[in-house]
Amino acid sequence: MAQLTDDCFAFSGPLLRLDEMERLIAERIMPVAESERVRLHEARGRVAAADVKAPVDLPPFDNSAVDGYAVRHADLAPNADTKLAIAGRLTAGANASLGVDRGQAIRIFTGAAMPKGADTVFMQEDVMVEGGQVVVPKGLKPGANRRLAGEDVRAGAVVLAAGTVLEAQHVALLAALGLTEVDVRRRLKVAIFSTGDEVVEPGTPRAGAAIYDANRYLLAELLERVGAVVTDLGILPDNPDKLADALRAAASGHDLIITSGGVSTGEADYVRTAVERVGSLVFWRVAIKPGRPVALGVIRGTSGHSAAFVGLPGNPVAVFVTFVRVVKVLLRRLGGARPDRLVALPVRAAFAYRKKKDRREYVRVSLIRTPDGDIEAVKHPQDGAGILTSLTETDGLLEFPEDVTSIEPGARVGFLSYASLMG
Ligand code: AMP
Ligand code: MG
């Protein structure tokens, strides 16, 4: 399980800026050590455990990028058409060791190896064929339409750095290099449960003051998207004994336990009491909005291992935002992935907004294309942390930096799509 010290989440300041939080996590949390070798089909979503070096050049040999005629550029007249004799035919995969002599061209198809002596390929659309000859126009640059061996990847080059989260395109690259397997970090094991006497399971009868559980479903999906193995421990009542028992049991066999609800300072918020019985707890007042304090801790398991603990707020929108901006940083670090490189895309604000200095704020917005071709972000009319439709009816979050205090309509602002935040 994860290697954690009891004080790994300790933080003494009043407010934790996001960049400080990222640094703290990078400094104090060690990734899980174990790795495994998986087949390419199982690799997507996993984290490369080591650098991968290319065993061969890509492409492995010089080849044609088009269907056409391979020629020697030196044979071409600089200011007139050139007539060349068609001396052979090379299809993709053909092994013929054809060469081009002076005044000759070879009929060639995309992906076929360049014939010896040829350095340039005319597209078939650009030439005229007359009997056994081809007439090529002037003006084509030497090397045109030829793909050089190794122009994509040089043998020996690092093509995947350790910590890369493997996507379809990474798997394709490994396959193109002839590899069949890749070493990846083991998946993180994460236990989740919801807390609250009012929370009931969808599909079961609901009494007057009860609500259906949304957070466990939200968390399970978000965790699956980042490749974690999820243990669903259900819904726990607001009872410190039961909460402490569940936490203690989950600490062995999991790297991380995530709960929602019960972590504010209300009298019925028993998660805090429970965590303090079976481990240690600190609160991070992360300088973001939405995002109430996030509870972090370490729960002692058996045999010296411990699990990290994250207690998220109860309101689903707060769960979402704290997950994508706080928990994901922790998950990536624990899982051995490099920090996310989130790049907010510039769009135009369609509304005015005031915010406090020194905290980062996230606003749920929909994007629309304006008649002048710009992209405008429209704020959802409801911004309560319990309004789930403010997440389902929008496209992503605007990110307002710490130093900004007011945004006027028409201002350039940064947009993060939900897809980019959840990936
Ligand atoms: P709490 O932090 O426990 O006081 O919860 C804050 C709000 O979130 C309350 O309105 C809860 O009813 C609601 N809430 C807590 N847990 C869930 C859940 N699993 N799904 C949906 N709403 C929840
Ligand atoms: Mg509660």
Side-chain angles (χ1 to χ4, degrees), residues 43 53 101 114 123 160 222 230-232 241 250 297 300 307 323 333 335 337 347 371 381 420:
K53 285 189 181 160
D101 285 335
M114 288 293 283
M123 287 173 73
L160 279 186
L222 290 168
V230 178
T231 308
D232 183 350
D241 295 333
R300 291 181 293 271
F323 185 94
R333 179 64 184 164
V347 298
S420 72

Side-chain angles (χ1 to χ4, degrees), residues 370-414:
T370 60
D372 63 357
D374 207 348
I375 297 172
E376 209 167 61
V378 180
K379 188 171 168 296
H380 195 274
Q382 289 179 286
D383 50 19
I387 306 287
L388 257 172
T389 50
S390 69
L391 287 177
T392 60
E393 292 171 355
T394 51
D395 299 312
L397 303 176
L398 290 188
E399 182 177 56
F400 297 143
E402 284 83 351
D403 55 328
V404 169
T405 54
S406 79
I407 288 95
E408 299 307 327
R412 280 283 141 208
V413 290

Side-chain angles (χ1 to χ4, degrees), residues 178-226:
L179 299 170
T180 58
E181 298 176 323
V182 58
D183 289 329
V184 296
R185 298 266 185 175
R186 76 157 165 83
R187 288 184 193 277
L188 293 179
K189 297 172 194 161
V190 182
I192 57 173
F193 60 83
S194 293
T195 72
D197 289 339
E198 79 282 25
V199 182
V200 298
E201 186 66 16
T204 64
R206 191 193 63 81
I211 56 163
Y212 288 123
D213 188 357
N215 292 343
R216 250 166 69 242
Y217 289 83
L218 179 60
L219 287 173
E221 297 307 320
L222 290 168
L223 285 162
E224 232 143 74
R225 284 190 68 126
V226 297

